[in-house]
Amino acid sequence: TILILDFGSQYSHLITRRVREFGVYCEMLPCTQRIKELHFRPKGIILSGSPYSVYDEDAPRVDPDVFTLGVPVLGICYGLQEITWNHGGSVVACSHREYGHAMLSVIKHADHPVVDRLFDGFDGDIEVWMSHGDQLSKLPTNFRIIGRTQTAPYAAIAHEEKLLFGIQFHPEVTHTPRGKEIIGNFVKTICECKTDWTMACYKLGVGDPFIESFIDKEIERIRQIVGKDGEVVGAVSGGVDSTVAAKLMKEAIGDRFHAILVDNGVMRLNECTTVNSYLHSHLKINLRVVDASDKFLSRLKGVTDPEKKRKIIGNTFIEVFEEEAARIDKETRKSGRKSIEYLLQGTLYPDVIESVSFKGPSAVIKTHHNVGGLLQDMKLKLIEPLRELFKDEVRRLGKVLSLPDDLIYRHPFPGPGIAIRILGEVTPEQVAIARAADHIYIEEIKKAGLYREIAQAYAALLPVKAVGVMGDKRTYEQVIALRAVETTDFMTADWYDFPHTILKKISSRIINEVKGVNRVVYDISSKPPATIEWY
Ligand code: XMP
């Protein structure tokens, strides 16, 4: 077992995924975990990154026993700084914070092959992803430099006898293209872990036998839990996760699964009608659509703060969902059936790991909207058929369940919808503008055959007015910002490099067709330091 100590980085759960992909079992625990209280002896320890600085007074501190246990330790970003702090080195704030791509020059030590093991198989420069505001200013005693970048002279260090390794970059994100090999070197070569552990979802197979057997087993499991006459309720959004979960439920228990689609007034253009007709008419899911758009929009009146918008939408969603669930429950009992006992949720594996992580120091970047609060109020028991799966596996599941590619490969859409893509007040007029522009944008991306290449694209409506000229008239209208990113895990992302002819077409269509817009700009910021959503 590899022990991952989580200091609250946005990427901690990706470390877990990378280690498990090698067939090595690992557990992620909060960084405050005492080593003496562990119920297992790890073969190696990985210290994650963190939003903190090691010199902060309230910085999370690792149990010093980590360094005396006699097992290899790999520190990533903050983890490296924590190793340094504990071994007499120094860490300072960088004069230039470093986010994004960097080239790491590997430094080999022919006479000390042990320290070379982390970069086994590498020669010369490696492309790495940096995200840090601090860096080492003094090497701790008895450490050797095994890599440097132009701005970080101690970007990778190692201690030969103690088998301590520290790297400033993030090998766990896909933007470090060979990061997986580095983690592999640590767990396989340095920690000598066996690679025989398998979680069901890593078994890939031609024709997808794993997914097929997963479906059979999951349907059986749901039937056993729910019993012959149990009733289940669940929200659907039109996204791949909730649709796949709902389809599994339908296969397992038919109409005893009650799906609810809440129209919050800030969904995409025609979204509610499309989802309704697909789930209801095509998948034959027992679906209720609740049009609560007036309620949502009236509560959003005058609100511009993104976190407030998220809270209002989240709370209103719970309220509307509960009311409808209660109504369904009443009707079900009236017709002589059982009360609703279970709530379906499309929780994925990354959410499961995240919920065990060290929440204390983790910086809340954005409160993501979920329906977790429902449980306490409704006393429903949870069913989460996707809780072992990652997004790509849910897509494979969707494929085997014969869902159309359009749905399976749909870009993710945030729960608070267009409300967080309208950067000012959310009014029906602003929703109409944002929707129309977004619709044209996505339509043109699809026409150009680029939709699948892009992980997420949307149009944001800026709360500024710009001067323009249309015909012979001066205009004073709003600005649309187009965003498109490439990413696989949504934790790091690069802006998508569109052919200019396509941007030209999109811009001219939006300006010509969407009333109230006279300017279109394209967002060329990577994540980090920007996020995918503007808000
Ligand atoms: P950021 O903007 O944090 O987004 O880089 C990462 C991913 O999360 C989505 N996102 C949300 N999803 N509720 C959601 O359900 C939210 O409040 C929310 N905010 C961001 C975002 O669209 C991207 O896929």
Side-chain angles (χ1 to χ4, degrees):
T1 303
I2 292 285
L3 168 65
I4 297 166
L5 290 174
D6 174 34
F7 290 82
S9 152
Q10 304 299 307
Y11 310 133
S12 297
H13 71 275
L14 294 178
I15 307 174
T16 314
R17 173 159 196 183
R18 298 290 165 260
V19 173
R20 291 187 175 193
E21 276 169 350
F22 283 107
V24 173
Y25 182 68
C26 64
E27 278 197 26
M28 183 162 84
L29 295 171
C31 59
T32 46
Q33 173 67 43
R34 311 312 303 166
I35 295 299
K36 285 200 178 78
E37 289 164 14
L38 279 177
H39 59 277
F40 61 94
R41 185 186 155 82
K43 290 203 77 172
I45 300 175
I46 300 180
L47 311 178
S48 82
S50 174
Y52 277 80
S53 290
V54 282
Y55 47 76
D56 286 344
E57 239 174 58
D58 51 349
R61 287 270 94 91
V62 75
D63 179 354
D65 284 355
V66 160
F67 304 114
T68 54
L69 192 63
V71 302
V73 178
L74 171 65
I76 296 174
C77 196
Y78 182 93
L80 154 72
Q81 295 160 14
E82 185 67 4
I83 292 176
T84 304
W85 195 255
N86 276 275
H87 291 84
S90 332
V91 176
V92 292
C94 314
S95 50
H96 293 287
R97 293 178 305 159
E98 202 176 8
Y99 298 103
H101 293 287
M103 293 310 287
L104 179 98
S105 308
V106 172
I107 300 166
K108 295 270 173 152
H109 301 263
D111 43 342
H112 299 279
V114 172
V115 299
D116 287 349
R117 285 188 196 155
L118 192 65
F119 295 135
D120 249 4
F122 291 85
D123 263 322
D125 288 355
I126 315 176
E127 197 185 334
V128 298
W129 183 269
M130 293 284 199
S131 175
H132 65 112
D134 293 333
Q135 70 178 30
L136 270 58
S137 57
K138 184 179 144 224
L139 195 64
T141 331
N142 295 328
F143 277 75
R144 286 172 205 283
I145 305 171
I146 55 170
R148 67 163 68 97
T149 69
Q150 253 185 350
T151 54
Y154 311 120
I157 63 169
H159 188 299
E160 188 173 10
E161 291 80 33
K162 294 189 175 171
L163 291 177
L164 304 178
F165 295 83
I167 49 184
Q168 187 58 73
F169 60 92
H170 289 271
E172 69 276 30
V173 305
T174 48
H175 284 89
T176 297
R178 296 183 65 189
K180 205 174 153 179
E181 288 168 62
I182 298 169
I183 293 178
N185 284 343
F186 180 69
V187 296
K188 292 192 293 187
T189 317
I190 299 171
C191 302
E192 300 175 354
C193 289
K194 281 199 212 128
T195 54
D196 53 0
W197 179 80
T198 44
M199 178 156 101
C201 63
Y202 294 115
K203 289 182 194 147
L204 305 176
V206 188
D208 242 336
F210 156 63
I211 292 290
E212 282 161 24
S213 81
F214 174 89
I215 293 173
D216 291 345
K217 274 192 227 133
E218 199 48 39
I219 288 180
E220 197 39 47
R221 195 182 74 93
I222 295 168
R223 285 185 181 147
Q224 293 220 333
I225 296 174
V226 177
K228 282 200 167 49
D229 49 4
E231 306 275 335
V232 181
V233 71
V236 288
S237 66
V240 59
D241 305 343
S242 67
T243 312
V244 165
K247 169 80 176 150
L248 267 181
M249 222 55 195
K250 159 81 189 170
E251 294 293 318
I253 60 167
D255 279 358
R256 285 185 287 127
F257 169 57
H258 309 265
I260 300 175
L261 173 65
V262 176
D263 184 351
N264 59 13
V266 284
M267 292 164 82
R268 284 170 279 208
L269 190 70
N270 306 328
E271 177 78 353
C272 224
T273 332
T274 317
V275 177
N276 185 13
S277 84
Y278 182 69
L279 265 70
H280 201 259
S281 317
H282 194 86
L283 297 183
K284 310 277 182 229
I285 287 172
N286 181 11
L287 173 73
R288 294 273 185 109
V289 181
V290 189
D291 181 2
S293 41
D294 288 346
K295 191 178 249 176
F296 280 88
L297 290 177
S298 74
R299 290 184 187 176
L300 285 168
K301 225 177 191 161
V303 180
T304 51
D305 177 74
E307 285 299 278
K308 270 198 193 131
K309 288 180 181 173
R310 278 191 171 83
K311 279 213 175 79
I312 292 172
I313 294 174
N315 293 339
T316 311
F317 176 85
I318 290 172
E319 188 185 309
V320 173
F321 181 87
E322 276 181 350
E323 276 169 18
E324 194 56 32
R327 202 167 294 136
I328 295 173
D329 184 48
K330 210 166 153 192
E331 288 169 19
T332 315
R333 280 185 288 123
K334 214 169 158 189
S335 66
R337 286 153 69 173
K338 263 183 137 175
S339 285
I340 294 173
E341 249 182 296
Y342 296 94
L343 172 72
L344 170 73
Q345 275 199 322
T347 322
L348 305 193
Y349 188 59
D351 310 323
V352 177
I353 336 180
E354 243 170 272
S355 65
V356 301
S357 81
F358 179 46
K359 282 297 176 191
S362 148
V364 175
I365 311 288
K366 294 171 188 183
T367 353
H368 284 199
H369 155 68
N370 64 47
V371 292
L374 282 171
L375 281 179
Q376 290 151 16
D377 297 340
M378 295 189 68
K379 297 189 184 67
L380 295 178
K381 287 175 250 168
L382 205 55
I383 298 194
E384 296 170 302
L386 312 179
R387 60 175 287 122
E388 277 212 344
L389 306 181
F390 282 99
K391 190 84 176 181
D392 45 315
E393 287 144 354
V394 176
R395 294 205 155 114
R396 282 163 52 198
L397 195 55
K399 206 139 188 104
V400 177
L401 288 168
S402 307
L403 301 183
D405 277 4
D406 258 7
L407 191 142
I408 294 174
Y409 295 105
R410 215 163 182 209
H411 294 173
F413 185 70
I418 280 176
I420 53 163
R421 294 173 173 180
I422 293 171
L423 274 53
E425 187 188 350
V426 182
T427 62
E429 297 73 32
Q430 294 285 281
V431 171
I433 296 177
R435 264 187 185 155
D438 189 72
H439 190 75
I440 293 172
Y441 183 33
I442 301 297
E443 196 170 77
E444 288 301 325
I445 290 177
K446 284 187 175 162
K447 266 197 221 158
L450 300 176
Y451 190 76
R452 291 269 298 271
E453 249 176 64
I454 297 168
Q456 195 169 3
Y458 69 89
L461 179 58
L462 308 191
V464 282
K465 283 192 168 177
V467 172
V469 51
M470 281 187 191
D472 284 333
K473 274 204 217 117
R474 176 185 186 278
T475 58
Y476 189 51
E477 293 178 332
Q478 274 177 281
V479 183
I480 283 287
L482 304 176
R483 181 86 163 129
V485 294
E486 286 180 288
T487 174
T488 47
D489 52 32
F490 297 89
M491 307 299 280
T492 59
D494 258 346
W495 55 276
Y496 183 73
D497 200 0
F498 272 114
H500 287 187
T501 46
I502 297 187
L503 285 177
K504 211 172 186 170
K505 190 159 179 218
I506 295 166
S507 150
S508 112
R509 269 199 69 193
I510 293 177
I511 294 172
N512 283 314
E513 295 175 36
V514 184
K515 228 173 142 228
V517 174
N518 66 2
R519 228 168 256 254
V520 170
V521 296
Y522 188 57
D523 181 352
I524 49 168
S525 332
S526 66
K527 172 182 178 174
T531 51
I532 294 174
E533 301 292 343
W534 273 54
Y535 255 16

